[in-house]
Amino acid sequence: MMAASLLRRDKRSTAAHLKADLKRTDNSSGLRQLRELLDNVLHPERGSEPEALEWCKSLLAGGDGFDEFCRTVRSYDNATLCGLVWTANFVAYRCRTCGISPCMSLCAECFNNGDHTGHDFNMFRSQAGGACDCGDGNVMRESGFCSRHRLQTGENVPSVPLDLLLMSEMVLPRFIISIIQYLRDGYTEPESAADRDLQKVLQQLDLHISFLEELTKMGGAMRTVLTKILTNQQTFKELSMGQEESVYAKSNYEKYLSALKSSGLVSVEEKGAGAGASDTPAGAGALGLLGAAASLEDSSKEEDQDGLQGVGQRKRVKLSSSSKDPSIMDTLKHKCFLEELLFWTIKYEFPQKMVTFLLNMLPDQDYKITFTKTFVQHYAFIMKTLMKSHESDTMSNRIVHISVQLFSNEELARHVTEECQLLDIMVTVLLYMMESCLIKSQLQDEENNRHVVVNCGEALLKNNTYWPLVSDFINILSHQSVAKRFLEDHSLLLLWMSFVSFFQGMNLNKRELSEHVEFESQTYYAAFAAELEACAQPMWGLLTHCKVKETHEYTRTVVRYCLETLQMWFDAIGFVDEPALHQLTFHLPLHRYYAMFLSKGVKCQGLDLDSLLPDQEMLMKIMVHPLQIQASLSEIHSNMWVRNGLQIKGQAMTYVQSHFCNSMIDPDIYLLQVCASRLDPDYFISSVFERFKVVDLLTMASQHQNAVLDSEQERPMLEGALTFLVILSSLRVHLGMSDDEILRAEIVSQLCMNDRTHSSLLDLIPENPNPKSGVVPGSCSFEEMLAAVADFKAPVFEPGGSMQQGMYTPKAEVWEKEFDPIMVILRTVYRRDVQSAMDRYGAFLKQSGVHTGNPWPPYKERTPLHPCYKGLVRLLHCKTLHIVIFTLLYKIWMDHQNMSEHVLCMVLYLIELGLDNPVQDNQVEEEPCIEEHCHDSWFPGTSLLSNLHHVINFVRVRVPETAPEVERKRARERERETPASTSSESSSFGQSSRRLTGNWRENLREAQVFSLVAERRRKFQEIINRSNHEASQAVRPKSSSSRWLPPGSPPQLVTEILEIGESMLSLLVKLHQKLSGKQNSLSLSWLAEVDPAHHAHGDGLTAIERVLAKAAARSRHSKRCLQEICGQVCPPIPLKKNSPGDKKSMDKEERRQRARERQQKLLAEFASRQKSFMETAMDVESPETDSVMDMGSAEALDSEVLYDCVICGQSGPSTEDRPTGLVVLLQASSVLGHRCRSDTPKRLPTTDEEHISPEDTCGATHDVRLSLMQRYFKDSSCLQSVSIGWVGGVYVQTCGHTLHIDCHKSYMESLRNDQVLQGFSVDKGEFTCPLCRQFANSVLPCRPGRGMETGAWHTPSNKSMSTLVKEVEDLQEQLGIFPVSASLKQRDPILAESNLSKEMESVIKDIKNTTQKKYMDYGKNPGSPDNDFLFMYSVARTNLELELVHRGGNLCSGGASAAAKRSCLNQLFHVLAMHMRLYSIDSAYNPWTRLTQSTQSRDNEYCGDERPEVPMLFRDVPSLLIIFILTMPQPLRKEHFTCVVKVLYSLQYTQALAALSVRFSPEERLVWSNTGAAKKNTPNSDKSWESLLGHVISELTKAKDVYGTNSEETLVLSSSVWSPQSIEFSLQQFCLPFLRLSCLLQHHLYGDSLPGCLVEEEFSLLAGCLGLAGSAQSSAACLEWNISAFDLISQWCSEVIALSDTPSQQSVSLLGQDPQWAAPRLLHLPDNYNTIFQFYHRKSCTSCGKTPKDPALCLVCGAFVCLKGHCCKQQGVCECVLHSQHCGAATGIFLLINASVIIIIRGHRFCLWGSVYLDAHGEEDRDLRRGKPLYLCEERYRVLEQQWVSHTFDHINKRWGPHYNGL
């Protein structure tokens, strides 16, 4: 009952009261009260209420406020580690310079507070989550700690007062058990309930677990308390079972026990007595496992009876019988809270919050150790759960999140390895995992195969479910102490080998021979990933610890076990001596383990190779499968596996791909090199040719039959075999190259294929997969090596706009000395890369003038062999190879089919390798004894040097009866005459035979036909007999039976003798003649002066010369023979002159020649056509000042302008009925509106203090001005006094091509029906120009041009100013009188609704639709004519202003400019003028009269309510100019134009004077008005600024507010005194914008040229162009008044003065507005990208307050927006699109913070533009994947800005797509 009363009291006082009770020495009553209270509050059946939490918080704080309590506890924090835990997607840092463990990571705060300048670090997005290691000396070096964790904070923290945490120790155990009870209750086995229930349980616990997490963040003191509670076994015992009386607790505990049971786990007590019996001795268990392969068969025998249930059914026998310790998999005992918490965490599949809580505790050392042990204890259970889980991906990430924190620490890892058998557990669990998906292997002997392999189609492998386990294993093996334990524990090693053997021979491919395979399985990737991750990476991990002599015992052990396991494997698959046909597996991890440990042992530990090798028979077996892979690679590339689908090509590529090659192809080739160096060379060579299936091809006969290959496969297979031999004998990667040399060779071979970026190079260099190995790409050695072999090409910008990255390209000396085609062939994934390398090599030779033709691959000297591998050289010095070389040289010389340049090239390479690597021992020369048992008659010895000059006279061959050789023999027999020469030579032939063994003649034909196969069999037999006599009977039967052809097959073979009489040397000389096409291409003198070094680069001739030169230099005998051969020089007379084959090849050559000539001709013709097309096209594309655009100047003839239609190709004028139009792109633009006054761009804010003010932009200023006017003046008058379109104005640009408008309509129809995906929307009228493919969306009609008027247009007249003024007035009146339509009907009734005017109206509609409504309606009543009128003339203004901006803001550059080519102002003006004439200007308000006459009478009209008109001095002069020009009848005579400009200049000048006077101080004003008054009476005073200025000042002084209010401010402004020069300068600057626009307009209307000039002369030059008579000195001299200047000025001023006492007085501030603006600029960005990233990536959005998932920045105005965020959507439009409409009138430039790339939004489309931030190697880092520091690339940013200003995004960027408002 006490509890109930306590519950009613207020929480804080209760807590205080209890705390006081508990502090007493006798605290039993306090304890009792607390217990009862907690029983009530934390009653499990009440669920988790927030109320309970509140109680806990108050109790912990013991009477204080909880927040205060937190602060107090924090002050006792003694932690020296950061330990911040993060989850997926968090941005963290990794510094390789500071890390000891490769997994080290830092949070941003610790990273930025530490000093990592110059380190190798990167930023990364966490995949699985992690924790900050700052302060942990086990994982990183102390130098990298941040300033906070560098100090050992532990010492100076005061010790915690006892009573502070007293309540925590009492309350928390109850809190934790309540969580556990809740978890017990909520758990149901997945079968019985849907999985979602688990989530529900967790959600309800959310607050509780968050509370625990909060506690961990209070620092070290609180963590210590929590650790005590979590690890205290006593408390657990008391609370877990529940007290006797509590029924609830009992049933709850039962639930826990049943959960344990159902998980297949037993608690130890229950095992009880039974446990002892089942524990088998550890050693026996391990061996038992290897035997388990056998026992599998017994268990599946029974199954086989009932109809062979699918292979997948056959499961391995239950593991527990054979594992080291059965209890690993199925016992768990929980002794403390921590253990049970972890158990439930696993059961609930690692909920994120629990994981974070468990990890947050890690900085506490005691906790760390206990937790690690607990984790290891549950390890098997974790993996079991993972295998069953549906969400295995998420779960894997969470598991690794935990394990990486525990196992990266070497001390901890060693500790648990020793105490908890971590290694045993891991290996056992791995085995257990893989056992679930084993199947019978079908390799070799399919029926009786006893080997089992993993099935790659199973989910476990396909989804990589095993990776958490493997990654932990690799992680702990990286610690030396742990790896040593592993290598010393033989039973473990054996277990591991049996694990590896599961992968040996997996994913077996069988070659499809009949039809294409139905279903292409993609399992191969799972197989490669499994071998790499589960076998190769642990292997590399172990290898790093076998680098020094002391550890050689380990290497020996591993090698021994590899061989044992291999032997067991050969037995299990029933392998004897030949591999099964048509089978291929790329997976031989056992071979590769063996190879890599051999290599390491020899290279690093100085072991003797022979002591590690097995007997010859085993070597012969070992060599078979790797060789099979090499041959199959060739088969795959020869399209022999094409029926197996694309996936087989995928396998072949993956096998050599950079991430796999050094764990796959490299060890395979090394192993073959080892075998080759130890086995009989003849046996080895013949095996190679037999495996490659080209034995039948190696005959001297011109025709042969091949039992296994189609003829088109023969050539590539032969090339493959020879290339393989070259690689085998020349590759030195494992045979003596140092690590640095290997790295250099790898870099060179990659760079030779293509220029590469730094990151792709890092990716392509096969790194040693173990990060601790030292040579890691990115280490200093890599950078130094790269600098040594490559030049950096900085990123360039092509005019097309495609952005290049920074590239590395090989230095010239690399091409000269280091280019190694063999290494390139080995490393290329695609065959085209080899070609690419050769092309680049050829280009280099051409450029450096070494060689111009088609070069052959250069021969590269090799590094010397390691003494252990000297035997490899014997390959090059064996008769079999020499026979093959001789045969091939002969065949190439005789033009037999299926020979190629590549074959010759490889043959020469082999000869040269042989010459460069002579056999060591000297007794080779005289070895007569060999003759006795050598079955071939070809060569006397084995040395290549002596065999080169050995002449072979006759060869006996088997040929088909139809062969030309047989025909010739028959012909000779018919004639019954034998040529004398033959007989004489045959006698010598006979003599020589008698010297040799008797059966020589019979053997001769065998020597050729079967020499390779027979030789190989014989050698094999010898080796086998030597090792065991009995075995030979078993082996023999498989003789060459496979070679006999079935009867009735192609013609029978007969034996023929061929007369040859050549040696290899003579064949080489003849080939040289053949290639060069000269009879005596090698003269005797050539030999004398030859120097092999001279022939390093060149084609086949050079290669032959180089070989001959080397032969001559190495042996006197060869030199002699060569001189003889060259002396005899005779043309090669092939024996079969009349054979059809020969004729065929001749024809072939001729046909080729002819085809080549035809091709040349075609190409030339095509080129000339292209040239003419380019000329015409370019002509249209660049309309300079006098082209299509400006009708008038060029065509002063009496003809109309002609246009070419790019669709129908016809040329003609534009007529009313069939108008022609310009292809244009209309787009809304706010570029002008973003201009500022200052030249320096605004800075992007990167701190909270900085801001960007939007008020000072051109657009904002104009808006303010207009709204101010509309407050005080008449609306219709306001709408003619300014221009709009600064924001959202319509810009019109063209590509310059024209088309008939009807052609365009049909073109659009065809586009509409075209279903191809286009980047544009035809429905919106978008299309691409049919000629140049530029993007466009409308057609601007061209006005029919009549040449007659153009003549009259220009004639200057001598009329006086006043006459012209009158004429202009009349022209305007004329329009005022007639409404347009009527006037047109009177003049030309047809014109009224002609096609032309329809088109003009439709284009006006397009223009209005281009921009948004809000940018058009500025009037009080939207849609009124005034409003429309304003919009129309503003379009003209916008285009003029933009062209000025494109010309650099002034006209100093003269006529031509890129912008001019895109401008179509002339046509645009005519269309607008047509439209504007619909509106007449009321003559009473016509500003012209107010500009040119003094009208005093109208002063008193301004009475009543009506607002006054806008005073002339407030009006925008350029707007008036455009209004006049557009409303007067076109074409306008030039004299009238000039007149208008002159009148308006006077107004502009007066405005300038008024604006200037406002800026004076009162004193200055007085001085200047007096000066002016004095000058007034002098002649020409109306052209002197002093008198005019004085007049303006004196007039405006009458108005009240003009000078009155702002005296204080002006004083600040004008601290400097105004001199006459500065006044003149500012007047000119004020008038310049008007002059520039007028000049540009004149240029477009009349085609006047724009001369270039210096900036200083711009004013006088423009004034001259416009016909304002004046001299350079003074701006006033340009004025021309048609009535008294002073009267007119007074009148204008009086309009301002009249405002004095009306409300409109406020508007006088409109007087002094400066018309000049700086060029538009994007924001100024910081140099380092990190500055932007750190500030913005966690910044919360201004509108929704959340941190956006994809934050973006507008580079125009700096707004921060959510990309794709649904939070900020309005009417279904996302924020970026909204902002682009608001800020750039549908053009937006956004920097995506998390990706560093820029996207452009243009209307309804968007594109990825690229990045302006590049790393130190000039590369982009899209999505920040590499996370290297990025720096601003100024050039790129300039290009971006340029494209923005010039509105060319649409043309330059090609990849556009619709965004559907979703950005």
Side-chain angles (χ1 to χ4, degrees), residues 1416-1473:
M1416 290 160 56
D1417 292 338
Y1418 284 92
K1420 294 279 169 68
N1421 36 0
S1424 68
D1426 290 321
N1427 213 355
D1428 216 13
F1429 189 79
L1430 167 68
F1431 175 67
M1432 284 306 147
Y1433 75 74
S1434 295
V1435 170
R1437 175 73 182 270
T1438 305
N1439 283 279
L1440 279 169
E1441 290 274 4
L1442 276 168
E1443 185 170 334
L1444 256 179
V1445 167
H1446 298 162
R1447 287 172 177 272
N1450 56 30
L1451 294 178
C1452 298
S1453 56
S1457 95
K1461 294 178 189 170
R1462 287 200 304 273
S1463 155
C1464 44
L1465 274 166
N1466 192 315
Q1467 281 80 343
L1468 179 64
F1469 254 75
H1470 289 297
V1471 171
L1472 291 173

Side-chain angles (χ1 to χ4, degrees), residues 849-1105:
V850 181
H851 176 83
T852 51
N854 227 348
W856 277 31
Y859 172 83
K860 186 170 174 288
E861 297 282 328
R862 300 286 153 187
T863 43
L865 274 170
H866 186 289
C868 274
Y869 307 108
K870 283 283 184 252
L872 188 60
V873 176
R874 296 182 320 172
L875 269 195
L876 301 164
H877 297 279
C878 74
K879 293 186 187 178
T880 311
L881 182 66
H882 300 171
I883 295 169
V884 170
I885 289 177
F886 183 85
T887 309
L888 289 173
L889 287 173
Y890 177 78
K891 287 176 81 73
I892 294 170
W893 178 53
M894 294 302 272
D895 280 322
H896 287 183
Q897 62 184 34
N898 283 335
M899 293 297 125
S900 69
E901 203 175 65
H902 187 73
V903 171
L904 177 58
C905 177
M906 291 295 115
V907 167
L908 292 175
Y909 219 102
L910 285 167
I911 297 176
E912 199 162 346
L913 278 168
L915 290 172
D916 278 353
N917 297 296
V919 174
Q920 258 35 49
D921 37 14
N922 296 331
Q923 68 269 39
V924 173
E925 291 297 333
E926 58 283 354
E927 271 195 347
C929 57
I930 276 205
E931 305 296 342
E932 294 315 309
H933 61 260
C934 173
H935 278 223
D936 66 51
S937 55
W938 293 73
F939 294 107
T942 57
S943 160
L944 178 62
L945 255 185
S946 51
N947 287 350
L948 269 178
H949 49 72
H950 178 75
V951 178
I952 288 177
N953 289 316
F954 291 92
V955 171
R956 194 169 277 204
V957 293
R958 304 281 302 272
V959 290
E961 289 164 328
T962 49
E965 289 87 343
V966 184
E967 301 287 324
R968 227 171 296 123
K969 182 181 168 195
R970 292 210 182 114
R972 238 179 298 158
E973 280 172 358
R974 272 201 299 282
E975 292 164 25
R976 283 273 176 274
E977 58 153 62
T978 316
S981 63
T982 317
S983 58
S984 66
E985 279 189 31
S986 67
S987 66
S988 68
F989 185 52
Q991 289 161 10
S992 66
S993 73
R994 266 173 234 125
R995 277 190 304 113
L996 298 166
T997 47
N999 59 353
W1000 188 80
R1001 285 191 80 91
E1002 293 78 14
N1003 268 339
L1004 178 59
R1005 82 163 180 271
E1006 286 293 296
Q1008 182 51 37
V1009 184
F1010 279 133
S1011 72
L1012 288 173
V1013 184
E1015 188 58 18
R1016 181 167 169 271
R1017 303 261 168 233
R1018 213 171 42 68
K1019 286 281 158 80
F1020 184 66
Q1021 208 48 49
E1022 275 175 28
I1023 294 169
I1024 298 286
N1025 288 346
R1026 223 173 311 151
S1027 50
N1028 55 343
H1029 289 285
E1030 317 77 73
S1032 63
Q1033 283 79 30
V1035 177
R1036 202 59 221 122
K1038 273 185 127 175
S1039 72
S1040 47
S1041 56
S1042 59
R1043 298 259 160 224
W1044 296 123
L1045 298 172
S1049 59
Q1052 284 304 304
L1053 296 179
V1054 292
T1055 304
E1056 280 304 322
I1057 291 182
L1058 283 188
E1059 178 184 345
I1060 302 217
E1062 300 287 355
S1063 66
M1064 284 192 241
L1065 280 182
S1066 66
L1067 283 170
L1068 284 171
V1069 173
K1070 291 184 176 178
L1071 280 170
H1072 191 279
Q1073 292 169 358
K1074 181 174 170 176
L1075 284 173
S1076 66
K1078 293 199 214 83
Q1079 296 285 301
N1080 48 357
S1081 55
L1082 289 173
S1083 57
L1084 284 167
S1085 59
W1086 171 80
L1087 268 177
E1089 68 235 14
V1090 77
D1091 162 26
H1094 182 69
H1095 293 288
H1097 306 280
D1099 55 11
L1101 293 172
T1102 330
I1104 294 178
E1105 286 164 25

Side-chain angles (χ1 to χ4, degrees), residues 235-246:
T235 334
F236 177 71
K237 224 174 188 165
E238 287 168 10
L239 290 174
S240 164
M241 321 276 282
Q243 273 87 11
E244 299 73 64
E245 62 270 19
S246 161

Side-chain angles (χ1 to χ4, degrees), residues 341-390:
L341 263 183
L342 180 63
F343 171 75
W344 288 114
T345 305
I346 301 168
K347 269 300 202 193
Y348 281 91
E349 299 194 359
F350 291 88
Q352 184 67 65
K353 283 252 158 112
M354 289 294 289
V355 173
T356 320
F357 163 65
L358 293 171
L359 287 175
N360 269 335
M361 289 290 298
L362 281 178
D364 190 295
Q365 225 28 54
D366 300 340
Y367 171 85
K368 195 171 196 165
I369 292 170
T370 318
F371 180 61
T372 309
K373 285 184 177 169
T374 310
F375 188 77
V376 172
Q377 179 194 342
H378 283 75
Y379 202 75
F381 176 50
I382 292 175
M383 293 308 157
K384 268 187 173 171
T385 316
L386 176 64
M387 282 166 70
K388 290 191 197 122
S389 164
H390 299 300

Side-chain angles (χ1 to χ4, degrees), residues 109 230 248 318 574:
E109 195 181 348
L230 286 172
Y248 169 76
K318 180 81 180 77

